């Protein structure tokens, strides 16, 4: 039986690490992970939970610096993914772990190359990304129903992102 080799690309600025083990178990149902990368600015406070996850699961942490724009993480992830897509015929499935619709063109390009693309993100993920993936998995659907904390964790993570970007752009919300 031929093994389905998987490349996983995680947008650490957009996904909370709190349920990654559940996501990882779901990804492993589709084959063997041979590339496992997390893109984030590890200097940022909201990323510290990812450091432990990287060590525990052998994820390669890809440092991105928030120098000019928030999209630096997105850009690094896209470039690395495209490089692997065009340079390695050993990967049959690409997994994009993000709720950011900026990755919809990447998902489309993966599919155009004849490679299977799985997206994983929160239920608020725009249809633009969902529809460009062969399969899209909603994180909330993987978490046991007795655990209602995911919504709270997601909201807390998103609030932290808003505060972080507000400070970066010198914008202070009034309410």
């Amino acid at each position: 039986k031929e093994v389905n080799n998987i490349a996983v690309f995680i947008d650490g600025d957009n996904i909370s690490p709190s349920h990654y083990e559940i996501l990882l178990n779901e990804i492993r149902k589709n084959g063997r992970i041979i590339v496992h990368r997390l893109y984030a600015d590890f200097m940022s406070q909201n990323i510290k939970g990812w450091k432990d996850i990287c060590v525990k699961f052998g994820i390669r942490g890809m440092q991105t610096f928030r120098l000019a724009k928030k999209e630096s993480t997105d850009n690094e992830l896209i470039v690395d993914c495209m490089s692997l897509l065009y340079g390695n015929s050993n990967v049959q499935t690409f997994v994009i772990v993000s709720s950011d619709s900026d990755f919809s063109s990447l998902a489309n390009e993966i599919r155009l190359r004849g490679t299977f693309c799985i997206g994983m993100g929160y239920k608020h993920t725009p249809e633009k990304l969902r529809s460009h993936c062969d399969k899209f998995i909603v994180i909330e659907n993987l978490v046991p129903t007795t655990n209602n904390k995911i919504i709270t964790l997601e909201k807390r993570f998103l609030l932290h992102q808003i505060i972080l970007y507000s400070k970066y752009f010198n914008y202070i919300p009034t309410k």
Side-chain angles (χ1 to χ4, degrees), residues 19-20 28 33-34 38-39 49 59 73-75 80 89 104 106 117 119 149 155 161-162 173:
H19 296 99
Y20 191 69
R28 287 180 174 155
I33 299 171
I34 62 169
L38 167 76
Y39 296 80
I59 301 170
T73 298
D74 296 0
N75 293 337
D80 281 358
S89 61
S104 59
L106 174 62
C117 182
K149 292 182 180 180
K155 285 180 180 176
Q161 290 294 331
I162 291 167

Side-chain angles (χ1 to χ4, degrees), residues 38-54:
L38 167 76
Y39 296 80
D41 182 354
F42 287 94
M43 305 293 199
S44 176
Q45 278 297 102
N46 64 319
I47 301 301
K48 71 177 177 180
W50 275 115
K51 292 176 188 174
D52 295 335
I53 297 293
C54 285

Side-chain angles (χ1 to χ4, degrees), residues 66-89:
R66 204 179 297 273
L67 299 175
K69 294 169 31 176
K70 76 172 191 81
E71 287 85 15
S72 59
T73 298
D74 296 0
N75 293 337
E76 289 290 327
L77 188 153
I78 290 168
V79 168
D80 281 358
C81 190
M82 294 293 287
S83 177
L84 187 66
L85 177 65
Y86 287 105
N88 187 338
S89 61

Side-chain angles (χ1 to χ4, degrees), residues 14 29 53 58 60 70 76 87 90 93 98 109 128 131 166:
N14 195 271
K29 291 177 184 177
I53 297 293
R60 184 173 175 198
K70 76 172 191 81
E76 289 290 327
N90 197 30
T93 301
S98 180
E109 186 65 24
K128 183 178 180 185
S131 64
S166 297

Side-chain angles (χ1 to χ4, degrees), residues 2-162:
E2 195 168 315
V3 176
N4 182 40
N5 291 325
I6 301 172
V8 180
F9 293 86
I10 308 160
D11 177 4
D13 290 343
N14 195 271
I15 297 292
S16 170
S18 60
H19 296 99
Y20 191 69
E21 189 165 359
I22 293 169
L23 298 180
L24 183 59
N25 290 335
E26 187 68 22
I27 294 167
R28 287 180 174 155
K29 291 177 184 177
N30 294 282
R32 178 181 64 169
I33 299 171
I34 62 169
V35 176
H36 205 177
R37 297 180 186 163
L38 167 76
Y39 296 80
D41 182 354
F42 287 94
M43 305 293 199
S44 176
Q45 278 297 102
N46 64 319
I47 301 301
K48 71 177 177 180
W50 275 115
K51 292 176 188 174
D52 295 335
I53 297 293
C54 285
V55 171
K56 183 175 180 179
F57 297 111
I59 301 170
R60 184 173 175 198
M62 308 297 285
Q63 172 65 42
T64 59
F65 295 99
R66 204 179 297 273
L67 299 175
K69 294 169 31 176
K70 76 172 191 81
E71 287 85 15
S72 59
T73 298
D74 296 0
N75 293 337
E76 289 290 327
L77 188 153
I78 290 168
V79 168
D80 281 358
C81 190
M82 294 293 287
S83 177
L84 187 66
L85 177 65
Y86 287 105
N88 187 338
S89 61
N90 197 30
V91 175
Q92 292 80 38
T93 301
F94 282 76
V95 178
I96 302 168
V97 184
S98 180
S99 293
D100 189 341
S101 65
D102 291 346
F103 295 112
S104 59
S105 294
L106 174 62
N108 191 51
E109 186 65 24
I110 291 167
R111 291 176 67 212
L112 283 171
R113 294 276 302 162
T115 306
F116 197 74
C117 182
I118 298 173
M120 299 180 100
Y122 296 114
K123 65 182 176 183
H124 73 265
T125 302
E127 188 60 33
K128 183 178 180 185
L129 176 58
R130 291 173 185 243
S131 64
H132 281 84
C133 297
D134 291 301
K135 178 180 179 181
F136 189 85
I137 299 167
V138 177
I139 293 170
E140 289 89 339
N141 293 346
L142 298 177
V143 178
T145 54
T146 56
N147 184 355
N148 294 326
K149 292 182 180 180
I150 188 163
I151 295 170
T152 305
L153 288 170
E154 179 189 355
K155 285 180 180 176
R156 189 175 345 143
F157 183 74
L158 291 173
L159 180 61
H160 183 76
Q161 290 294 331
I162 291 167

